[in-house]
Amino acid sequence: MTEPLLQVKDLKKYFPITGGVFSKKIGEVKAVDDLTFTVYKGETLGIVGESGCGKSTTGRMLLRLIEPTEGSIVFENQEITNLSKQELRKVRRDMQMVFQDPFASLNPRHTVEKILEEPLVVHGIGSKQERKKKVYEMLEVVGLGSYHAKRYPHQFSGGQRQRIGIARALMTRPKLIIADEPVSALDVSIQAQVLNLLEDLQKEFGLTYIFIAHDLGVVRHISDRVGVMYLGRMVELADSDVLYESPKHPYTKALLSAVPIPDPEYQQERQLLTGDLPSPANPPKGCAFHTRCSACMDICKTTRPTLQEVEKGHYVACHLYQ
Ligand SMILES: Nc1ncnc2c1ncn2[C@@H]1O[C@H](COP(=O)(O)OP(=O)(O)OP(=O)(O)O)[C@@H](O)[C@H]1O
Ligand SMILES: [Mg+2]
């Protein structure tokens, strides 16, 4: 594997729950709890998990759009959790985000040209002429044609709008792109086109991706490695093929059981997820998954398993393997 680009250690985000007339803090939502992982240069790390498990919170914390409660984020050997606003701006040039809903993330009153120029203005890149040239070039790169520059977001289809969102993220020539469910809002037929575009751009610009999704089917194709989150924690992390062919954590097995497999010869032990996702404001003691796990043992109810490397590059947090 190549060098690390981003190293996340013991990252936490606890959102306060307030109540009463004086808005006193009465509890916390543990959206992200002790998350540790590394992203290597040039790879795509997929992050999957059910709704509410902390994927978007993680993505936003990496850019410090949400301030972490605790933990460390090292980007290119620099700790970024304690950087000032000014210092952070330089880092943000190298890390950009693509959002799920391109319509909500694009200013409806600005032309595409203005939307794409803005990151360059913010970072003081180029003269007016040079910026304009870069905008027109980038529109071609994402397959939109520069004649679209004077149009507004509502004049595009969903797939085209996501291309604009991707173009905007690329304007500063970042090293890392955090894509938070970038194709979830699109028609299935358009999803493949946008995924292919992301793959082409990765090769062309030498990008590293963190690709967030709730659907294991979507991330498999694009990811080199995949991490599975449950209630704010990473429960399994492995090379994509390994994770799909020999998952270890009962939660991963259950998620995979829900992905339809077109091969009728393929026999899978089906493990269905029963029960609801517990509240992150009151996560179960011990292993957070024990309340829904078909392999639950006594120790699972009392002791939290840590993420451990059980085979080379294959990490699992489960007492069955410890
Ligand atoms: N600003 C906030 N204040 C309080 N709680 C929040 C806030 N943002 C997120 N949460 C809570 O944190 C948890 C994780 O939310 P997050 O959006 O990260 O989940 P997610 O994995 O991205 O889910 P989805 O797949 O639905 O996008 C949820 O329980 C959510 O309600
Ligand atoms: Mg989300």
Side-chain angles (χ1 to χ4, degrees):
M1 195 95 59
T2 56
E3 295 164 66
L5 180 65
L6 179 80
Q7 289 161 290
V8 175
K9 196 152 184 293
D10 300 330
L11 194 64
K12 290 189 180 135
K13 181 67 199 184
Y14 293 177
F15 291 108
I17 305 171
T18 52
V21 251
F22 300 110
S23 295
K24 264 176 58 181
K25 184 173 150 190
I26 52 172
E28 320 180 283
V29 177
K30 297 182 173 175
V32 174
D33 208 2
D34 270 334
L35 201 61
T36 298
F37 63 89
T38 300
V39 187
Y40 295 94
K41 279 187 186 153
E43 78 164 336
T44 299
L45 175 69
I47 296 185
V48 295
E50 279 168 283
S51 182
C53 72
K55 305 180 296 293
S56 297
T57 305
T58 302
R60 283 161 193 262
M61 268 198 288
L62 299 180
L63 284 168
R64 281 189 51 199
L65 299 172
I66 293 180
E67 288 297 336
T69 306
E70 238 180 84
S72 146
I73 302 169
V74 174
F75 180 71
E76 293 202 297
N77 302 316
Q78 184 181 30
E79 175 64 55
I80 63 163
T81 49
N82 48 24
L83 294 184
S84 66
K85 279 230 163 70
Q86 189 102 44
E87 295 167 316
L88 195 57
R89 192 186 290 175
K90 280 195 223 110
V91 178
R92 285 200 179 137
R93 214 179 134 155
D94 290 334
M95 276 176 151
Q96 291 283 335
M97 191 139 181
V98 174
F99 296 93
Q100 169 173 359
D101 181 353
F103 201 48
S105 65
L106 302 174
N107 188 329
R109 280 185 293 274
H110 287 174
T111 60
V112 167
E113 181 173 344
K114 183 146 190 204
I115 290 170
L116 296 190
E117 190 191 357
E118 198 205 311
L120 300 178
V121 174
V122 168
H123 292 283
I125 301 170
S127 65
K128 181 82 195 158
Q129 270 310 314
E130 286 161 349
R131 290 200 296 263
K132 194 163 174 161
K133 184 157 166 277
K134 280 182 199 281
V135 167
Y136 283 68
E137 279 168 5
M138 190 54 77
L139 281 170
E140 300 286 348
V141 167
V142 299
L144 273 180
S146 50
Y147 61 92
H148 287 112
K150 300 289 181 206
R151 292 165 66 186
Y152 291 86
H154 74 268
Q155 296 172 306
F156 291 90
S157 70
Q160 288 175 323
R161 277 200 288 264
Q162 194 53 296
R163 287 174 194 266
I164 299 168
I166 292 167
R168 181 180 56 182
L170 286 175
M171 288 308 292
T172 61
R173 295 297 166 95
K175 294 170 183 160
L176 177 67
I177 299 258
I178 299 164
D180 188 357
E181 310 222 23
V183 300
S184 305
L186 305 177
D187 272 4
V188 175
S189 58
I190 310 295
Q191 287 186 355
Q193 292 175 14
V194 173
L195 289 173
N196 287 338
L197 172 66
L198 286 169
E199 284 189 315
D200 292 345
L201 295 171
Q202 182 167 41
K203 284 190 212 111
E204 187 170 345
F205 296 103
L207 294 165
T208 304
Y209 288 148
I210 295 180
F211 192 101
I212 297 172
H214 55 256
D215 179 347
L216 272 163
V218 169
V219 280
R220 173 172 198 170
H221 175 69
I222 197 164
S223 306
D224 299 298
R225 294 189 303 144
V226 173
V228 178
M229 282 181 73
Y230 189 75
L231 282 181
R233 292 168 181 268
M234 197 74 91
V235 296
E236 184 160 7
L237 176 69
D239 282 355
S240 185
D241 291 341
V242 173
L243 190 94
Y244 286 84
E245 273 150 35
S246 44
K248 290 193 183 295
H249 199 287
Y251 178 59
T252 313
K253 289 182 185 171
L255 279 183
L256 281 170
S257 291
V259 179
I261 290 167
D263 180 359
E265 299 283 303
Y266 185 83
Q267 289 286 326
Q268 199 182 24
E269 61 177 306
R270 275 184 87 75
Q271 301 204 2
L272 292 180
L273 265 183
T274 49
D276 290 332
L277 188 69
S279 159
N282 189 17
K285 283 213 169 50
C287 173
F289 186 60
H290 87 257
T291 52
R292 299 166 84 190
C293 184
S294 56
C296 178
M297 304 175 289
D298 280 342
I299 185 175
C300 308
K301 296 174 188 164
T302 53
T303 312
R304 189 177 304 270
T306 53
L307 194 67
Q308 290 190 354
E309 191 169 16
V310 293
E311 272 161 31
K312 194 167 170 10
H314 195 158
Y315 298 82
V316 188
C318 176
H319 289 301
L320 288 173
Y321 305 96
Q322 292 181 2

